[in-house]
Amino acid sequence: MSSRELVVLSVGGVRFVTRASTLQQFPESRLARMVNDDDREFKLVNGEFFVDRDGALFGYIMDFLRTLQVSLPTDFSDYQRLQREAEYYGLYPLADLLSQEHLLKPRLEILEVRFSLQEMQAFFRIFGSCSSTIAALAEQITVFTGQQSGQGWNSPFSSQKRLVPLPLERPSHHDMVFLCGTEYSADDQVVARYVSIKPDNRKLINGTNVLGLLLDSLLKDGFRLISTRTVASEEKVECYTFERMKRAAGLAIMVNQTAGSSGVAQARRSQVQKEK
């Protein structure tokens, strides 16, 4: 039986087809012993192993055996049940990772957009609790600058000289600052700043339009607007606060090969690099 390449399992009525080598990742597990005909509890019926356990949870176990990572949906809540299933199959490295529930649960991510209008310019500051989200936004947002002959928000694009991209200001890993609109340079030339937000190809100079595109982009990216307020100060600053559930960084198993072993031997736990 151990020489068969494919194995079919019926777990709680859910059918799985996988390689024998996948089930033999951990030689001491019951699944490896099942493939080697060393566990009589698993019955072979019409060419399929029947397992009287939870089929839906076994899908996560199969994903772990194939990837050696624990990565669960954001709405997953059956950590203890899945841990019991891992223990039943003798997959103790997986059970050990699942015991660290606090590392696997998704986290609430907060993002704040601050917007203010001053004469012909609009100022933006984006602050996020997750530095990787701010880094991703910095890749999407580009500010272009150039001189134009007209004045005001709606000067024709055709009157522009060649636009030059500007680096975004990043005071820290958790925030970014940029502006758009027009201003006079020292030699009384009108300097314009346009903003482009991928995947939209437009270059917008009107701050209200940029704000609308930015908020729409965040909503499409899974954020939910939870509050809007005006910050009380000399400059009227509008503040938009968003939240979303961010999938937790997965945990991975590093598996060592041992001499004289036909399968994968002892496993040691390793956390995937955490973000800042």
mmCIF file with all atom_site columns, all heavy atoms in Angstrom, residues 211-233:
data_model
loop_
_atom_site.group_PDB
_atom_site.id
_atom_site.type_symbol
_atom_site.label_atom_id
_atom_site.label_alt_id
_atom_site.label_comp_id
_atom_site.label_asym_id
_atom_site.label_entity_id
_atom_site.label_seq_id
_atom_site.pdbx_PDB_ins_code
_atom_site.Cartn_x
_atom_site.Cartn_y
_atom_site.Cartn_z
_atom_site.occupancy
_atom_site.B_iso_or_equiv
_atom_site.pdbx_formal_charge
_atom_site.auth_seq_id
_atom_site.auth_comp_id
_atom_site.auth_asym_id
_atom_site.auth_atom_id
_atom_site.pdbx_PDB_model_num
ATOM 1   N N   . LEU A 1 211 ? -9.363  63.055 -3.145 1.00 0.00 ? 211 LEU A N   1
ATOM 2   C CA  . LEU A 1 211 ? -9.912  62.468 -1.933 1.00 0.00 ? 211 LEU A CA  1
ATOM 3   C C   . LEU A 1 211 ? -10.959 61.411 -2.271 1.00 0.00 ? 211 LEU A C   1
ATOM 4   O O   . LEU A 1 211 ? -10.953 60.313 -1.699 1.00 0.00 ? 211 LEU A O   1
ATOM 5   C CB  . LEU A 1 211 ? -10.534 63.565 -1.059 1.00 0.00 ? 211 LEU A CB  1
ATOM 6   C CG  . LEU A 1 211 ? -11.227 63.076 0.217  1.00 0.00 ? 211 LEU A CG  1
ATOM 7   C CD1 . LEU A 1 211 ? -10.219 62.452 1.175  1.00 0.00 ? 211 LEU A CD1 1
ATOM 8   C CD2 . LEU A 1 211 ? -11.969 64.229 0.905  1.00 0.00 ? 211 LEU A CD2 1
ATOM 9   N N   . GLY A 1 212 ? -11.850 61.723 -3.196 1.00 0.00 ? 212 GLY A N   1
ATOM 10  C CA  . GLY A 1 212 ? -12.880 60.761 -3.577 1.00 0.00 ? 212 GLY A CA  1
ATOM 11  C C   . GLY A 1 212 ? -12.293 59.480 -4.129 1.00 0.00 ? 212 GLY A C   1
ATOM 12  O O   . GLY A 1 212 ? -12.734 58.377 -3.785 1.00 0.00 ? 212 GLY A O   1
ATOM 13  N N   . LEU A 1 213 ? -11.270 59.603 -4.986 1.00 0.00 ? 213 LEU A N   1
ATOM 14  C CA  . LEU A 1 213 ? -10.626 58.415 -5.556 1.00 0.00 ? 213 LEU A CA  1
ATOM 15  C C   . LEU A 1 213 ? -9.905  57.615 -4.482 1.00 0.00 ? 213 LEU A C   1
ATOM 16  O O   . LEU A 1 213 ? -9.947  56.377 -4.475 1.00 0.00 ? 213 LEU A O   1
ATOM 17  C CB  . LEU A 1 213 ? -9.653  58.841 -6.654 1.00 0.00 ? 213 LEU A CB  1
ATOM 18  C CG  . LEU A 1 213 ? -8.881  57.716 -7.348 1.00 0.00 ? 213 LEU A CG  1
ATOM 19  C CD1 . LEU A 1 213 ? -9.828  56.706 -7.979 1.00 0.00 ? 213 LEU A CD1 1
ATOM 20  C CD2 . LEU A 1 213 ? -7.923  58.291 -8.388 1.00 0.00 ? 213 LEU A CD2 1
ATOM 21  N N   . LEU A 1 214 ? -9.249  58.304 -3.552 1.00 0.00 ? 214 LEU A N   1
ATOM 22  C CA  . LEU A 1 214 ? -8.532  57.623 -2.480 1.00 0.00 ? 214 LEU A CA  1
ATOM 23  C C   . LEU A 1 214 ? -9.486  56.836 -1.583 1.00 0.00 ? 214 LEU A C   1
ATOM 24  O O   . LEU A 1 214 ? -9.245  55.657 -1.271 1.00 0.00 ? 214 LEU A O   1
ATOM 25  C CB  . LEU A 1 214 ? -7.754  58.645 -1.648 1.00 0.00 ? 214 LEU A CB  1
ATOM 26  C CG  . LEU A 1 214 ? -7.031  58.117 -0.405 1.00 0.00 ? 214 LEU A CG  1
ATOM 27  C CD1 . LEU A 1 214 ? -6.013  57.050 -0.778 1.00 0.00 ? 214 LEU A CD1 1
ATOM 28  C CD2 . LEU A 1 214 ? -6.369  59.262 0.354  1.00 0.00 ? 214 LEU A CD2 1
ATOM 29  N N   . LEU A 1 215 ? -10.582 57.479 -1.174 1.00 0.00 ? 215 LEU A N   1
ATOM 30  C CA  . LEU A 1 215 ? -11.543 56.793 -0.308 1.00 0.00 ? 215 LEU A CA  1
ATOM 31  C C   . LEU A 1 215 ? -12.167 55.602 -1.025 1.00 0.00 ? 215 LEU A C   1
ATOM 32  O O   . LEU A 1 215 ? -12.361 54.533 -0.431 1.00 0.00 ? 215 LEU A O   1
ATOM 33  C CB  . LEU A 1 215 ? -12.633 57.765 0.145  1.00 0.00 ? 215 LEU A CB  1
ATOM 34  C CG  . LEU A 1 215 ? -12.162 58.995 0.946  1.00 0.00 ? 215 LEU A CG  1
ATOM 35  C CD1 . LEU A 1 215 ? -13.362 59.786 1.456  1.00 0.00 ? 215 LEU A CD1 1
ATOM 36  C CD2 . LEU A 1 215 ? -11.252 58.601 2.103  1.00 0.00 ? 215 LEU A CD2 1
ATOM 37  N N   . ASP A 1 216 ? -12.475 55.776 -2.301 1.00 0.00 ? 216 ASP A N   1
ATOM 38  C CA  . ASP A 1 216 ? -13.049 54.677 -3.071 1.00 0.00 ? 216 ASP A CA  1
ATOM 39  C C   . ASP A 1 216 ? -12.066 53.515 -3.182 1.00 0.00 ? 216 ASP A C   1
ATOM 40  O O   . ASP A 1 216 ? -12.458 52.342 -3.080 1.00 0.00 ? 216 ASP A O   1
ATOM 41  C CB  . ASP A 1 216 ? -13.436 55.182 -4.466 1.00 0.00 ? 216 ASP A CB  1
ATOM 42  C CG  . ASP A 1 216 ? -14.161 54.128 -5.290 1.00 0.00 ? 216 ASP A CG  1
ATOM 43  O OD1 . ASP A 1 216 ? -15.212 53.643 -4.840 1.00 0.00 ? 216 ASP A OD1 1
ATOM 44  O OD2 . ASP A 1 216 ? -13.666 53.770 -6.379 1.00 0.00 ? 216 ASP A OD2 1
ATOM 45  N N   . SER A 1 217 ? -10.783 53.818 -3.357 1.00 0.00 ? 217 SER A N   1
ATOM 46  C CA  . SER A 1 217 ? -9.757  52.771 -3.447 1.00 0.00 ? 217 SER A CA  1
ATOM 47  C C   . SER A 1 217 ? -9.665  51.982 -2.147 1.00 0.00 ? 217 SER A C   1
ATOM 48  O O   . SER A 1 217 ? -9.514  50.750 -2.159 1.00 0.00 ? 217 SER A O   1
ATOM 49  C CB  . SER A 1 217 ? -8.405  53.384 -3.794 1.00 0.00 ? 217 SER A CB  1
ATOM 50  O OG  . SER A 1 217 ? -8.442  54.040 -5.042 1.00 0.00 ? 217 SER A OG  1
ATOM 51  N N   . LEU A 1 218 ? -9.747  52.677 -1.012 1.00 0.00 ? 218 LEU A N   1
ATOM 52  C CA  . LEU A 1 218 ? -9.671  52.000 0.279  1.00 0.00 ? 218 LEU A CA  1
ATOM 53  C C   . LEU A 1 218 ? -10.875 51.090 0.496  1.00 0.00 ? 218 LEU A C   1
ATOM 54  O O   . LEU A 1 218 ? -10.747 49.968 1.010  1.00 0.00 ? 218 LEU A O   1
ATOM 55  C CB  . LEU A 1 218 ? -9.570  53.026 1.403  1.00 0.00 ? 218 LEU A CB  1
ATOM 56  C CG  . LEU A 1 218 ? -8.276  53.848 1.445  1.00 0.00 ? 218 LEU A CG  1
ATOM 57  C CD1 . LEU A 1 218 ? -8.358  54.927 2.509  1.00 0.00 ? 218 LEU A CD1 1
ATOM 58  C CD2 . LEU A 1 218 ? -7.072  52.941 1.688  1.00 0.00 ? 218 LEU A CD2 1
ATOM 59  N N   . LEU A 1 219 ? -12.054 51.555 0.112  1.00 0.00 ? 219 LEU A N   1
ATOM 60  C CA  . LEU A 1 219 ? -13.258 50.731 0.253  1.00 0.00 ? 219 LEU A CA  1
ATOM 61  C C   . LEU A 1 219 ? -13.164 49.475 -0.609 1.00 0.00 ? 219 LEU A C   1
ATOM 62  O O   . LEU A 1 219 ? -13.554 48.384 -0.180 1.00 0.00 ? 219 LEU A O   1
ATOM 63  C CB  . LEU A 1 219 ? -14.501 51.546 -0.120 1.00 0.00 ? 219 LEU A CB  1
ATOM 64  C CG  . LEU A 1 219 ? -14.855 52.708 0.822  1.00 0.00 ? 219 LEU A CG  1
ATOM 65  C CD1 . LEU A 1 219 ? -15.989 53.534 0.240  1.00 0.00 ? 219 LEU A CD1 1
ATOM 66  C CD2 . LEU A 1 219 ? -15.245 52.194 2.207  1.00 0.00 ? 219 LEU A CD2 1
ATOM 67  N N   . LYS A 1 220 ? -12.628 49.606 -1.815 1.00 0.00 ? 220 LYS A N   1
ATOM 68  C CA  . LYS A 1 220 ? -12.467 48.449 -2.691 1.00 0.00 ? 220 LYS A CA  1
ATOM 69  C C   . LYS A 1 220 ? -11.424 47.482 -2.162 1.00 0.00 ? 220 LYS A C   1
ATOM 70  O O   . LYS A 1 220 ? -11.444 46.292 -2.503 1.00 0.00 ? 220 LYS A O   1
ATOM 71  C CB  . LYS A 1 220 ? -12.088 48.915 -4.102 1.00 0.00 ? 220 LYS A CB  1
ATOM 72  C CG  . LYS A 1 220 ? -13.222 49.592 -4.856 1.00 0.00 ? 220 LYS A CG  1
ATOM 73  C CD  . LYS A 1 220 ? -12.776 50.031 -6.246 1.00 0.00 ? 220 LYS A CD  1
ATOM 74  C CE  . LYS A 1 220 ? -13.917 50.678 -7.005 1.00 0.00 ? 220 LYS A CE  1
ATOM 75  N NZ  . LYS A 1 220 ? -13.492 51.155 -8.345 1.00 0.00 ? 220 LYS A NZ  1
ATOM 76  N N   . ASP A 1 221 ? -10.520 47.980 -1.326 1.00 0.00 ? 221 ASP A N   1
ATOM 77  C CA  . ASP A 1 221 ? -9.457  47.145 -0.777 1.00 0.00 ? 221 ASP A CA  1
ATOM 78  C C   . ASP A 1 221 ? -9.880  46.464 0.528  1.00 0.00 ? 221 ASP A C   1
ATOM 79  O O   . ASP A 1 221 ? -9.050  45.877 1.214  1.00 0.00 ? 221 ASP A O   1
ATOM 80  C CB  . ASP A 1 221 ? -8.207  47.995 -0.545 1.00 0.00 ? 221 ASP A CB  1
ATOM 81  C CG  . ASP A 1 221 ? -6.949  47.145 -0.453 1.00 0.00 ? 221 ASP A CG  1
ATOM 82  O OD1 . ASP A 1 221 ? -6.900  46.073 -1.072 1.00 0.00 ? 221 ASP A OD1 1
ATOM 83  O OD2 . ASP A 1 221 ? -6.003  47.549 0.258  1.00 0.00 ? 221 ASP A OD2 1
ATOM 84  N N   . GLY A 1 222 ? -11.168 46.553 0.870  1.00 0.00 ? 222 GLY A N   1
ATOM 85  C CA  . GLY A 1 222 ? -11.671 45.836 2.038  1.00 0.00 ? 222 GLY A CA  1
ATOM 86  C C   . GLY A 1 222 ? -11.819 46.661 3.293  1.00 0.00 ? 222 GLY A C   1
ATOM 87  O O   . GLY A 1 222 ? -12.263 46.139 4.330  1.00 0.00 ? 222 GLY A O   1
ATOM 88  N N   . PHE A 1 223 ? -11.471 47.950 3.249  1.00 0.00 ? 223 PHE A N   1
ATOM 89  C CA  . PHE A 1 223 ? -11.642 48.801 4.429  1.00 0.00 ? 223 PHE A CA  1
ATOM 90  C C   . PHE A 1 223 ? -13.103 49.220 4.565  1.00 0.00 ? 223 PHE A C   1
ATOM 91  O O   . PHE A 1 223 ? -13.844 49.293 3.578  1.00 0.00 ? 223 PHE A O   1
ATOM 92  C CB  . PHE A 1 223 ? -10.761 50.046 4.327  1.00 0.00 ? 223 PHE A CB  1
ATOM 93  C CG  . PHE A 1 223 ? -9.328  49.808 4.684  1.00 0.00 ? 223 PHE A CG  1
ATOM 94  C CD1 . PHE A 1 223 ? -8.376  49.587 3.690  1.00 0.00 ? 223 PHE A CD1 1
ATOM 95  C CD2 . PHE A 1 223 ? -8.918  49.788 6.003  1.00 0.00 ? 223 PHE A CD2 1
ATOM 96  C CE1 . PHE A 1 223 ? -7.053  49.352 4.010  1.00 0.00 ? 223 PHE A CE1 1
ATOM 97  C CE2 . PHE A 1 223 ? -7.595  49.560 6.337  1.00 0.00 ? 223 PHE A CE2 1
ATOM 98  C CZ  . PHE A 1 223 ? -6.667  49.339 5.341  1.00 0.00 ? 223 PHE A CZ  1
ATOM 99  N N   . ARG A 1 224 ? -13.480 49.525 5.780  1.00 0.00 ? 224 ARG A N   1
ATOM 100 C CA  . ARG A 1 224 ? -14.834 49.999 6.084  1.00 0.00 ? 224 ARG A CA  1
ATOM 101 C C   . ARG A 1 224 ? -14.729 51.350 6.781  1.00 0.00 ? 224 ARG A C   1
ATOM 102 O O   . ARG A 1 224 ? -13.984 51.494 7.760  1.00 0.00 ? 224 ARG A O   1
ATOM 103 C CB  . ARG A 1 224 ? -15.547 48.995 6.999  1.00 0.00 ? 224 ARG A CB  1
ATOM 104 C CG  . ARG A 1 224 ? -16.983 49.361 7.341  1.00 0.00 ? 224 ARG A CG  1
ATOM 105 C CD  . ARG A 1 224 ? -17.645 48.197 8.062  1.00 0.00 ? 224 ARG A CD  1
ATOM 106 N NE  . ARG A 1 224 ? -17.053 47.988 9.382  1.00 0.00 ? 224 ARG A NE  1
ATOM 107 C CZ  . ARG A 1 224 ? -17.513 48.528 10.514 1.00 0.00 ? 224 ARG A CZ  1
ATOM 108 N NH1 . ARG A 1 224 ? -18.575 49.329 10.471 1.00 0.00 ? 224 ARG A NH1 1
ATOM 109 N NH2 . ARG A 1 224 ? -16.934 48.269 11.666 1.00 0.00 ? 224 ARG A NH2 1
ATOM 110 N N   . LEU A 1 225 ? -15.450 52.348 6.253  1.00 0.00 ? 225 LEU A N   1
ATOM 111 C CA  . LEU A 1 225 ? -15.431 53.682 6.855  1.00 0.00 ? 225 LEU A CA  1
ATOM 112 C C   . LEU A 1 225 ? -16.241 53.658 8.148  1.00 0.00 ? 225 LEU A C   1
ATOM 113 O O   . LEU A 1 225 ? -17.420 53.319 8.144  1.00 0.00 ? 225 LEU A O   1
ATOM 114 C CB  . LEU A 1 225 ? -16.015 54.703 5.887  1.00 0.00 ? 225 LEU A CB  1
ATOM 115 C CG  . LEU A 1 225 ? -16.062 56.160 6.363  1.00 0.00 ? 225 LEU A CG  1
ATOM 116 C CD1 . LEU A 1 225 ? -14.656 56.704 6.597  1.00 0.00 ? 225 LEU A CD1 1
ATOM 117 C CD2 . LEU A 1 225 ? -16.805 57.020 5.347  1.00 0.00 ? 225 LEU A CD2 1
ATOM 118 N N   . ILE A 1 226 ? -15.603 53.994 9.277  1.00 0.00 ? 226 ILE A N   1
ATOM 119 C CA  . ILE A 1 226 ? -16.297 53.922 10.560 1.00 0.00 ? 226 ILE A CA  1
ATOM 120 C C   . ILE A 1 226 ? -16.563 55.293 11.171 1.00 0.00 ? 226 ILE A C   1
ATOM 121 O O   . ILE A 1 226 ? -17.424 55.422 12.040 1.00 0.00 ? 226 ILE A O   1
ATOM 122 C CB  . ILE A 1 226 ? -15.514 53.048 11.568 1.00 0.00 ? 226 ILE A CB  1
ATOM 123 C CG1 . ILE A 1 226 ? -14.100 53.594 11.796 1.00 0.00 ? 226 ILE A CG1 1
ATOM 124 C CG2 . ILE A 1 226 ? -15.473 51.606 11.106 1.00 0.00 ? 226 ILE A CG2 1
ATOM 125 C CD1 . ILE A 1 226 ? -13.331 52.859 12.888 1.00 0.00 ? 226 ILE A CD1 1
ATOM 126 N N   . SER A 1 227 ? -15.860 56.332 10.717 1.00 0.00 ? 227 SER A N   1
ATOM 127 C CA  . SER A 1 227 ? -16.149 57.659 11.264 1.00 0.00 ? 227 SER A CA  1
ATOM 128 C C   . SER A 1 227 ? -15.604 58.754 10.352 1.00 0.00 ? 227 SER A C   1
ATOM 129 O O   . SER A 1 227 ? -14.611 58.551 9.647  1.00 0.00 ? 227 SER A O   1
ATOM 130 C CB  . SER A 1 227 ? -15.559 57.825 12.668 1.00 0.00 ? 227 SER A CB  1
ATOM 131 O OG  . SER A 1 227 ? -14.149 57.947 12.628 1.00 0.00 ? 227 SER A OG  1
ATOM 132 N N   . THR A 1 228 ? -16.279 59.895 10.379 1.00 0.00 ? 228 THR A N   1
ATOM 133 C CA  . THR A 1 228 ? -15.842 61.097 9.669  1.00 0.00 ? 228 THR A CA  1
ATOM 134 C C   . THR A 1 228 ? -15.997 62.270 10.622 1.00 0.00 ? 228 THR A C   1
ATOM 135 O O   . THR A 1 228 ? -17.052 62.429 11.230 1.00 0.00 ? 228 THR A O   1
ATOM 136 C CB  . THR A 1 228 ? -16.696 61.339 8.413  1.00 0.00 ? 228 THR A CB  1
ATOM 137 O OG1 . THR A 1 228 ? -16.624 60.188 7.568  1.00 0.00 ? 228 THR A OG1 1
ATOM 138 C CG2 . THR A 1 228 ? -16.192 62.541 7.641  1.00 0.00 ? 228 THR A CG2 1
ATOM 139 N N   . ARG A 1 229 ? -14.955 63.051 10.752 1.00 0.00 ? 229 ARG A N   1
ATOM 140 C CA  . ARG A 1 229 ? -15.055 64.184 11.674 1.00 0.00 ? 229 ARG A CA  1
ATOM 141 C C   . ARG A 1 229 ? -14.166 65.316 11.176 1.00 0.00 ? 229 ARG A C   1
ATOM 142 O O   . ARG A 1 229 ? -13.266 65.107 10.362 1.00 0.00 ? 229 ARG A O   1
ATOM 143 C CB  . ARG A 1 229 ? -14.648 63.783 13.089 1.00 0.00 ? 229 ARG A CB  1
ATOM 144 C CG  . ARG A 1 229 ? -13.172 63.488 13.271 1.00 0.00 ? 229 ARG A CG  1
ATOM 145 C CD  . ARG A 1 229 ? -12.864 63.000 14.680 1.00 0.00 ? 229 ARG A CD  1
ATOM 146 N NE  . ARG A 1 229 ? -11.450 62.955 14.957 1.00 0.00 ? 229 ARG A NE  1
ATOM 147 C CZ  . ARG A 1 229 ? -10.646 61.958 14.630 1.00 0.00 ? 229 ARG A CZ  1
ATOM 148 N NH1 . ARG A 1 229 ? -11.108 60.916 13.980 1.00 0.00 ? 229 ARG A NH1 1
ATOM 149 N NH2 . ARG A 1 229 ? -9.352  62.002 14.938 1.00 0.00 ? 229 ARG A NH2 1
ATOM 150 N N   . THR A 1 230 ? -14.421 66.504 11.658 1.00 0.00 ? 230 THR A N   1
ATOM 151 C CA  . THR A 1 230 ? -13.585 67.665 11.370 1.00 0.00 ? 230 THR A CA  1
ATOM 152 C C   . THR A 1 230 ? -12.764 67.982 12.603 1.00 0.00 ? 230 THR A C   1
ATOM 153 O O   . THR A 1 230 ? -13.304 68.177 13.693 1.00 0.00 ? 230 THR A O   1
ATOM 154 C CB  . THR A 1 230 ? -14.439 68.886 10.987 1.00 0.00 ? 230 THR A CB  1
ATOM 155 O OG1 . THR A 1 230 ? -15.187 68.566 9.811  1.00 0.00 ? 230 THR A OG1 1
ATOM 156 C CG2 . THR A 1 230 ? -13.565 70.089 10.700 1.00 0.00 ? 230 THR A CG2 1
ATOM 157 N N   . VAL A 1 231 ? -11.458 67.981 12.424 1.00 0.00 ? 231 VAL A N   1
ATOM 158 C CA  . VAL A 1 231 ? -10.571 68.247 13.543 1.00 0.00 ? 231 VAL A CA  1
ATOM 159 C C   . VAL A 1 231 ? -10.625 69.732 13.872 1.00 0.00 ? 231 VAL A C   1
ATOM 160 O O   . VAL A 1 231 ? -10.467 70.583 12.993 1.00 0.00 ? 231 VAL A O   1
ATOM 161 C CB  . VAL A 1 231 ? -9.135  67.816 13.217 1.00 0.00 ? 231 VAL A CB  1
ATOM 162 C CG1 . VAL A 1 231 ? -8.198  68.112 14.387 1.00 0.00 ? 231 VAL A CG1 1
ATOM 163 C CG2 . VAL A 1 231 ? -9.088  66.338 12.865 1.00 0.00 ? 231 VAL A CG2 1
ATOM 164 N N   . ALA A 1 232 ? -10.871 70.060 15.121 1.00 0.00 ? 232 ALA A N   1
ATOM 165 C CA  . ALA A 1 232 ? -10.986 71.463 15.543 1.00 0.00 ? 232 ALA A CA  1
ATOM 166 C C   . ALA A 1 232 ? -9.591  72.078 15.644 1.00 0.00 ? 232 ALA A C   1
ATOM 167 O O   . ALA A 1 232 ? -8.815  71.748 16.526 1.00 0.00 ? 232 ALA A O   1
ATOM 168 C CB  . ALA A 1 232 ? -11.698 71.543 16.888 1.00 0.00 ? 232 ALA A CB  1
ATOM 169 N N   . SER A 1 233 ? -9.273  72.940 14.707 1.00 0.00 ? 233 SER A N   1
ATOM 170 C CA  . SER A 1 233 ? -7.988  73.635 14.710 1.00 0.00 ? 233 SER A CA  1
ATOM 171 C C   . SER A 1 233 ? -8.114  74.854 13.809 1.00 0.00 ? 233 SER A C   1
ATOM 172 O O   . SER A 1 233 ? -9.166  75.122 13.245 1.00 0.00 ? 233 SER A O   1
ATOM 173 C CB  . SER A 1 233 ? -6.869  72.715 14.207 1.00 0.00 ? 233 SER A CB  1
ATOM 174 O OG  . SER A 1 233 ? -7.092  72.388 12.854 1.00 0.00 ? 233 SER A OG  1
#
